[in-house]
Short mmCIF file of all heavy atoms in Angstrom, two decimals:
data_model
loop_
_atom_site.label_atom_id
_atom_site.label_comp_id
_atom_site.label_asym_id
_atom_site.label_seq_id
_atom_site.Cartn_x
_atom_site.Cartn_y
_atom_site.Cartn_z
N VAL L 7 3.76 -28.69 0.51
CA VAL L 7 3.37 -29.87 1.43
C VAL L 7 1.93 -30.28 1.09
O VAL L 7 0.93 -29.42 1.22
CB VAL L 7 3.41 -29.39 2.85
CG1 VAL L 7 2.86 -30.61 3.78
CG2 VAL L 7 4.86 -29.01 3.22
N TRP L 11 -6.19 -31.21 6.72
CA TRP L 11 -6.08 -30.14 7.78
C TRP L 11 -6.08 -31.03 9.11
O TRP L 11 -5.60 -30.25 10.06
CB TRP L 11 -7.32 -29.35 7.81
CG TRP L 11 -8.57 -29.94 8.07
CD1 TRP L 11 -9.53 -30.47 7.07
CD2 TRP L 11 -9.24 -30.13 9.23
NE1 TRP L 11 -10.59 -30.91 7.55
CE2 TRP L 11 -10.54 -30.82 9.06
CE3 TRP L 11 -8.92 -29.94 10.63
CZ2 TRP L 11 -11.45 -31.04 10.01
CZ3 TRP L 11 -9.83 -30.26 11.60
CH2 TRP L 11 -10.98 -30.82 11.33
N LYS L 26 12.76 -25.51 11.37
CA LYS L 26 13.85 -25.14 10.52
C LYS L 26 13.71 -23.77 9.90
O LYS L 26 14.54 -23.30 9.27
CB LYS L 26 13.97 -26.22 9.31
CG LYS L 26 14.19 -27.63 9.74
CD LYS L 26 15.75 -27.91 9.88
CE LYS L 26 15.91 -29.33 10.20
NZ LYS L 26 17.44 -29.60 10.44
N GLY L 27 12.51 -23.14 10.18
CA GLY L 27 12.39 -21.70 9.56
C GLY L 27 12.15 -21.74 8.08
O GLY L 27 12.58 -20.68 7.47
N LEU L 68 8.03 -40.19 8.03
CA LEU L 68 9.36 -40.41 8.62
C LEU L 68 10.53 -40.34 7.64
O LEU L 68 11.62 -39.64 8.06
CB LEU L 68 9.46 -41.78 9.30
CG LEU L 68 8.50 -42.06 10.63
CD1 LEU L 68 8.77 -43.28 11.27
CD2 LEU L 68 8.53 -40.83 11.65
N TRP L 78 18.46 -29.41 5.26
CA TRP L 78 18.57 -28.05 6.00
C TRP L 78 19.24 -28.30 7.34
O TRP L 78 18.57 -28.99 8.26
CB TRP L 78 17.30 -27.33 6.07
CG TRP L 78 16.75 -27.00 4.69
CD1 TRP L 78 17.13 -25.90 3.99
CD2 TRP L 78 15.89 -27.61 3.96
NE1 TRP L 78 16.48 -25.84 2.79
CE2 TRP L 78 15.58 -26.99 2.71
CE3 TRP L 78 15.03 -28.85 4.14
CZ2 TRP L 78 14.79 -27.35 1.68
CZ3 TRP L 78 14.14 -29.29 3.11
CH2 TRP L 78 14.04 -28.45 1.92
N PRO L 82 19.21 -29.03 14.27
CA PRO L 82 19.12 -30.46 13.85
C PRO L 82 17.95 -31.17 14.64
O PRO L 82 17.71 -30.94 15.76
CB PRO L 82 20.53 -31.01 14.31
CG PRO L 82 21.27 -29.88 14.49
CD PRO L 82 20.47 -28.65 14.80
N GLY L 101 6.37 -46.53 17.62
CA GLY L 101 5.24 -45.73 17.71
C GLY L 101 4.20 -46.04 16.63
O GLY L 101 3.00 -46.20 16.88
N SER L 111 -7.48 -48.70 16.42
CA SER L 111 -8.43 -49.85 16.50
C SER L 111 -9.50 -49.68 17.68
O SER L 111 -10.66 -49.83 17.50
CB SER L 111 -7.62 -51.22 16.76
OG SER L 111 -8.40 -52.14 17.44
N ALA L 112 -8.99 -49.08 18.74
CA ALA L 112 -9.91 -48.66 19.88
C ALA L 112 -10.90 -47.62 19.42
O ALA L 112 -12.06 -47.78 19.71
CB ALA L 112 -9.06 -48.28 21.06
N GLY L 123 -7.65 -52.98 22.42
CA GLY L 123 -6.83 -52.02 21.80
C GLY L 123 -6.21 -51.07 22.81
O GLY L 123 -5.01 -50.75 22.75
N PHE L 143 12.08 -33.13 26.64
CA PHE L 143 11.64 -33.64 25.39
C PHE L 143 12.44 -35.10 25.09
O PHE L 143 13.52 -35.24 25.68
CB PHE L 143 11.85 -32.66 24.35
CG PHE L 143 11.04 -31.41 24.51
CD1 PHE L 143 11.75 -30.16 24.87
CD2 PHE L 143 9.68 -31.40 24.19
CE1 PHE L 143 11.00 -29.04 24.95
CE2 PHE L 143 9.02 -30.24 24.54
CZ PHE L 143 9.61 -29.12 24.79
N PHE L 144 11.88 -35.84 24.18
CA PHE L 144 12.62 -37.03 23.66
C PHE L 144 13.91 -36.61 23.06
O PHE L 144 14.95 -37.36 23.20
CB PHE L 144 11.78 -37.77 22.67
CG PHE L 144 10.51 -38.44 23.38
CD1 PHE L 144 9.30 -37.70 23.13
CD2 PHE L 144 10.55 -39.61 23.99
CE1 PHE L 144 8.16 -38.40 23.67
CE2 PHE L 144 9.39 -40.15 24.65
CZ PHE L 144 8.32 -39.49 24.43
N GLY L 157 4.56 -36.59 18.22
CA GLY L 157 3.64 -35.45 18.32
C GLY L 157 2.15 -35.66 18.37
O GLY L 157 1.31 -35.10 19.05
N ALA L 160 0.32 -35.96 21.69
CA ALA L 160 0.10 -34.76 22.47
C ALA L 160 -1.27 -34.08 21.99
O ALA L 160 -1.89 -33.42 22.86
CB ALA L 160 1.24 -33.78 22.34
N GLU L 178 -1.11 -40.19 36.64
CA GLU L 178 -0.47 -41.04 37.77
C GLU L 178 0.31 -42.13 37.23
O GLU L 178 1.50 -42.46 37.72
CB GLU L 178 -1.72 -41.64 38.50
CG GLU L 178 -1.39 -41.71 40.03
CD GLU L 178 -2.56 -42.45 40.75
OE1 GLU L 178 -3.58 -41.77 40.78
OE2 GLU L 178 -2.42 -43.55 41.20
N SER L 184 2.77 -37.47 30.43
CA SER L 184 1.75 -36.38 30.54
C SER L 184 2.40 -35.00 30.58
O SER L 184 1.94 -34.06 29.86
CB SER L 184 1.13 -36.48 31.92
OG SER L 184 0.38 -37.72 32.03
N SER L 188 2.10 -31.89 27.76
CA SER L 188 1.82 -30.41 28.01
C SER L 188 2.87 -29.49 27.42
O SER L 188 2.65 -28.59 26.71
CB SER L 188 1.84 -30.21 29.55
OG SER L 188 0.82 -31.02 30.03
N PRO L 201 -5.23 -27.48 14.42
CA PRO L 201 -6.45 -26.90 14.31
C PRO L 201 -7.36 -26.76 15.54
O PRO L 201 -6.84 -27.46 16.64
CB PRO L 201 -7.21 -27.98 13.33
CG PRO L 201 -6.20 -28.95 12.95
CD PRO L 201 -5.05 -28.84 14.01
N VAL L 207 -12.39 -32.92 17.42
CA VAL L 207 -13.25 -33.80 18.06
C VAL L 207 -14.37 -34.25 17.07
O VAL L 207 -14.67 -35.37 16.87
CB VAL L 207 -13.93 -33.21 19.32
CG1 VAL L 207 -14.96 -34.03 19.87
CG2 VAL L 207 -12.78 -32.92 20.42
N VAL L 221 -20.87 -52.61 12.93
CA VAL L 221 -21.04 -53.65 13.95
C VAL L 221 -22.61 -53.72 14.36
O VAL L 221 -22.99 -54.94 14.51
CB VAL L 221 -20.27 -53.28 15.12
CG1 VAL L 221 -20.50 -54.13 16.29
CG2 VAL L 221 -18.67 -53.17 14.79
#
Side-chain angles (χ1 to χ4, degrees):
Chain L
V7 177
W11 67 266
K26 297 277 186 180
L68 296 182
W78 293 278
S111 161
F143 294 110
F144 294 99
E178 214 180 296
S184 300
S188 299
V207 169
V221 172

